């Protein structure tokens, strides 16, 4: 009788097991969104500047560190989308429900602080992209801000999201530039598997910036909220996880090629001084058109992040306060959500118009992201550890250990940088 029951149950299995090959690829492509967008938004103006600076300053010296950061991003993004899929709530809402009001305020403050600087850097990136083409930033930043705002508030943000992603694909040229630049593959392989550390403030500063631009706090808020906004359910988790993991690996893969390509082209020349320096890494692919290719990619990446970053803050604050938040709502339905988005766009554009060193601004914002990341990661770790919240989907013992190592590692790097900075104020470092 038992054999008959097993036989009768068998036909139901293939509907899950056979979803492989092209069918699985198609399924992942159909659901692709929050994870892919959040991870690739990290390859924005500030991200490109940070990765390129790593290559120009330390050639291949940061590659092993980036491998570790990639692993960290995969774990963090997976935890964020798992929370959204299994609870139906964003990270901000879960923090409000699971922690005290003061701790909720700390999380929201940290995110807003980091995001404000980041929005400025995105518009600075848009300005830098056009300046490479001979157009002054004052002529493009204001209309770009209005266009981004209108697309989200009145237009089809989902459509714009895809357009910006498409423009960002210009950075696919980096893997080609990396190959055509003929790097020292032996040195590349060595630095991918052997740790390299220089005990000085500049190296630590750049390492924290690499963490900040790759594992940015806003990514976790956006990824979880994006899953919820799409109405994903626990049964969709396998595809959502695939989106998050593949998005993180893809984004970090591009980051690694940016470092190698830049190291091969201008490695050892010191910190970047302009966007034009970063564009030189694409000369093996585009020749004299390297600046144009770089400008297109920089524009798409900056515009994508210019929308994603303020939206993540809107999601977080709306969730923390418990009000309506969705890109499909009107100003009347979601005044706080869209009002905060509007304020960040306006502030970012205004500050980006001031005479600042774009490269220093871009890398500086990533350092700030790196300092704040441990705070947000602690909330994420505690939430995904709670079986009372996720049940069987909570972190396993192995996941807890691995995630704790990530949080402690990021916190340690941030603490070292803070200590070095404070000691520097007193002339002791």
């Amino acid at each position: 009788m038992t054999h008959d029951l097993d036989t009768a149950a068998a036909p139901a299995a293939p509907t899950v097991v056979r979803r492989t090959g092209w069918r699985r690829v198609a399924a992942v492509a159909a659901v692709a969104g929050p994870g892919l967008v959040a991870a690739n938004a990290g390859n924005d103006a500030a991200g490109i500047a940070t990765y390129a600076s790593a290559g120009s300053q330390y050639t291949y010296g940061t590659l092993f560190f980036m491998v570790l950061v990639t692993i960290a991003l995969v774990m963090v993004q997976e935890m964020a989308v798992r929370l959204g899929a299994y609870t139906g709530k964003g990270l901000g809402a879960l923090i409000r429900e699971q922690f005290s009001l003061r701790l909720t305020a700390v999380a929201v403050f940290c995110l807003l602080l980091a995001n404000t600087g980041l929005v400025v850097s995105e518009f600075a990136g848009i300005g830098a992209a056009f300046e490479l083409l001979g157009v002054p930033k004052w002529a493009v930043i204001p209309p770009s801000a209005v266009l981004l705002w209108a697309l989200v508030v009145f237009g089809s943000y989902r459509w714009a999201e895809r357009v910006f992603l498409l423009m960002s694909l210009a950075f696919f040229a980096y893997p080609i530039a990396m190959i055509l630049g003929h790097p020292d593959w032996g040195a590349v392989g060595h630095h991918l598997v052997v740790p390299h550390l220089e005990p000085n403030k500049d190296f630590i500063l750049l390492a924290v910036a690499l963490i900040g631009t790759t594992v940015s706090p806003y990514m976790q808020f956006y990824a979880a909220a994006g899953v919820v906004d799409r109405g994903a359910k626990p049964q969709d988790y396998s595809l959502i996880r695939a989106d998050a993991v593949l998005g993180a690996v893809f984004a970090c893969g591009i980051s690694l090629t940016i470092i190698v390509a830049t190291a091969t082209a201008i490695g050892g020349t010191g910190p970047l001084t302009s966007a034009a320096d970063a564009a030189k890494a694409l000369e093996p692919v585009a020749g004299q058109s390297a600046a144009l290719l770089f400008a297109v990619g920089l524009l798409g990446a900056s515009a994508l992040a210019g929308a994603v970053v303020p939206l993540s803050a809107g999601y977080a604050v709306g969730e923390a306060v418990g009000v309506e938040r969705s890109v499909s709502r009107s100003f009347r339905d979601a005044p706080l959500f869209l009002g905060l988005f509007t304020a960040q766009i306006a502030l970012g554009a205004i500050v980006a118009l001031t005479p600042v060193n774009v490269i220093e601004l871009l890398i500086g914002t990533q350092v700030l992201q790196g300092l704040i990341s441990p705070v947000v990661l602690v909330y994420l770790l505690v939430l995904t550890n709670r079986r009372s919240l996720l049940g069987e989907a909570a972190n396993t013992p192995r996941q807890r250990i691995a995630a704790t190592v990530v949080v402690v590692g990021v916190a340690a790097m941030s603490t070292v940088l803070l200590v070095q900075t404070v000691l520097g104020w007193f002339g002791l470092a």
Side-chain angles (χ1 to χ4, degrees):
M1 185 67 175
T2 302
H3 176 74
D4 291 339
L5 287 174
D6 290 341
T7 303
T15 58
V16 175
V17 174
R18 290 180 182 174
R19 181 179 271 182
T20 57
W22 289 110
R23 289 186 179 182
R24 179 164 289 278
V25 171
V28 172
V31 78
L36 180 65
V37 171
N40 282 282
N43 285 340
D44 57 357
I48 300 301
T50 305
Y51 299 131
S53 190
S56 69
Q57 284 184 266
Y58 301 103
T59 59
Y60 311 126
T62 58
L63 293 182
F64 179 79
F65 184 74
M66 277 302 299
V67 171
L68 297 180
V69 173
T70 300
I71 295 171
L73 180 61
V74 168
M75 294 174 54
V76 168
Q77 289 298 96
E78 185 278 328
M79 288 192 293
V81 298
R82 178 158 31 109
L83 279 174
Y86 279 92
T87 66
K89 298 175 182 177
L91 191 52
L94 292 172
I95 291 174
R96 172 173 57 87
E97 293 179 3
Q98 299 289 320
F99 297 94
S100 67
L101 183 60
R102 288 183 179 179
L103 289 177
T104 301
V106 169
V108 172
F109 172 76
C110 286
L111 181 68
L112 287 177
L113 178 63
N115 278 22
T116 299
L118 203 52
V119 174
V120 174
S121 75
E122 306 311 341
F123 283 106
I126 291 174
F130 276 96
E131 284 184 327
L132 283 172
L133 306 178
V135 182
K137 64 181 182 181
W138 57 262
V140 295
I141 290 180
S144 296
V146 173
L147 178 60
L148 270 181
W149 175 82
L151 279 172
V152 173
V153 177
F154 300 113
S156 172
Y157 167 68
R158 297 300 183 197
W159 176 83
E161 182 182 85
R162 297 300 185 265
V163 172
F164 296 147
L165 273 174
L166 185 62
M167 293 174 66
S168 302
L169 293 182
F171 287 132
F172 262 123
Y174 272 106
I176 302 174
M178 175 185 69
I179 296 171
L180 295 180
H182 302 294
D184 183 342
W185 292 112
V188 171
H190 173 80
H191 282 93
L192 280 171
V193 298
V194 178
H196 174 81
L197 178 65
E198 297 186 18
N200 58 69
K201 184 178 179 180
D202 288 341
F203 189 86
I204 299 297
L205 186 74
L206 185 60
V208 172
L210 288 171
I211 293 173
T213 195
T214 310
V215 193
S216 298
Y218 78 85
M219 291 181 182
Q220 289 81 67
F221 283 90
Y222 182 86
V227 167
V228 175
D229 205 10
R230 287 184 169 220
K233 305 296 181 184
Q235 55 266 33
D236 302 320
Y237 170 66
S238 61
L239 294 178
I240 292 171
R241 179 180 58 187
D243 169 49
V245 172
L246 291 176
V249 171
F250 169 78
C252 289
I254 294 295
S255 304
L256 285 167
T257 64
I258 293 172
I259 294 175
V260 174
T262 306
T264 304
I266 55 175
T269 59
L272 293 178
T273 57
S274 67
D277 288 341
K280 290 179 181 178
L282 293 176
E283 287 182 353
V285 176
Q288 294 182 346
S289 301
L292 174 61
L293 181 62
F294 182 82
V296 171
L298 186 63
L299 178 60
S302 298
L304 174 63
V308 170
V309 172
L311 279 176
S312 71
Y315 278 127
V317 175
E319 291 164 355
V321 177
V323 298
E324 186 65 64
R325 63 273 175 189
S326 174
V327 294
S328 61
R329 301 298 182 184
S330 65
F331 246 107
R332 178 178 298 178
D333 297 327
L336 179 62
F337 174 74
L338 293 176
L340 185 58
F341 171 79
T342 301
Q344 287 186 96
I345 290 287
L347 180 62
I350 290 172
V351 176
L353 286 170
T354 60
V356 295
N357 183 305
V358 174
I359 297 298
E360 288 184 2
L361 171 66
L362 297 180
I363 296 178
T365 57
Q366 300 316 301
V367 173
L368 178 61
Q369 293 276 318
L371 293 174
I372 290 174
S373 286
V375 178
V376 176
L377 293 182
V378 167
Y379 287 96
L380 185 64
L381 176 59
V382 172
L383 288 171
T384 50
N385 281 345
R386 290 185 174 174
R387 297 183 71 84
S388 59
L389 179 66
L390 290 176
E392 293 298 318
N395 286 337
T396 64
R398 288 184 179 180
Q399 287 176 316
R400 290 188 180 195
I401 293 172
T404 300
V405 169
V406 169
V407 174
V408 171
V410 174
M413 293 291 292
S414 300
T415 301
V416 169
L417 178 60
L418 280 175
V419 170
Q420 285 189 334
T421 302
V422 173
L423 289 177
W425 292 342
F426 295 97
L428 300 175

